[in-house]
Amino acid sequence: MAWLEKREGGWDRGAAATFAVLGAADGALLGAVGLSWVDREDGLAVIGYWTLPDARGRGVATRAVRAVTSWAFETADARRIEIAHATGNEASCRVADRCGYLPEGTLRDSHRYGDGAYHGEHLHARLAADPEPAADPGGPTA
């Protein structure tokens, strides 16, 4: 868990909180969710998340993002939380939708990914005043 240890203390510095997503049965690492402050005084934050390939398609990201979103609104005084993902990442789009994050537009050439090139991202956001999303009646999710 060296990746998580590098992020330890982020909350104390007022920058970010990172949560490991672990399997209920065996405690195996499935992924992570991070909440980073854009402007803490204004309550503006972003959520980022990832899951290991074996954890995808089982609702892991959706459950984790919902949990961190609720925590951020109820405990950390977030007012608005944003999710931005690569325009071609349909799984992340479904996670944002299932977690109540409304689509707000496309950010052109906004993020440099691992290939070194800038890519567009879809922006989703949720406000503390927005209603909780309904439980997802569908099958597996990202």
Side-chain angles (χ1 to χ4, degrees):
M1 295 259 191
W3 182 89
L4 197 58
E5 288 173 3
K6 287 181 183 179
R7 282 140 184 89
E8 189 174 3
W11 191 252
D12 294 336
R13 291 189 306 274
T18 304
F19 302 88
V21 180
L22 306 176
D26 58 5
L29 180 67
L30 302 177
V33 178
L35 178 91
S36 299
W37 290 109
V38 174
D39 185 335
R40 192 166 186 181
E41 286 184 28
D42 191 38
L44 176 58
V46 296
I47 278 187
Y49 52 91
W50 57 267
T51 55
L52 292 171
D54 289 349
R56 295 178 187 153
R58 301 184 342 208
V60 170
T62 298
R63 288 189 303 276
V65 168
R66 281 182 179 226
V68 173
T69 298
S70 293
W71 170 82
F73 287 144
E74 295 167 10
T75 305
D77 295 325
R79 174 189 63 80
R80 173 185 167 94
I81 305 172
E82 299 175 347
I83 292 176
H85 63 81
T87 55
N89 188 337
E90 294 299 322
S92 282
C93 206
R94 287 189 302 273
V95 169
D97 181 54
R98 288 178 173 143
C99 293
Y101 286 78
L102 300 177
E104 294 193 337
T106 301
L107 305 170
R108 298 176 305 136
D109 284 350
S110 64
H111 188 74
R112 187 181 305 199
Y113 286 91
D115 64 0
Y118 284 96
H119 294 270
E121 294 182 300
H122 287 156
L123 176 65
H124 302 259
R126 185 155 162 214
L127 305 178
D130 288 344
E132 282 291 318
D136 184 27
T141 61

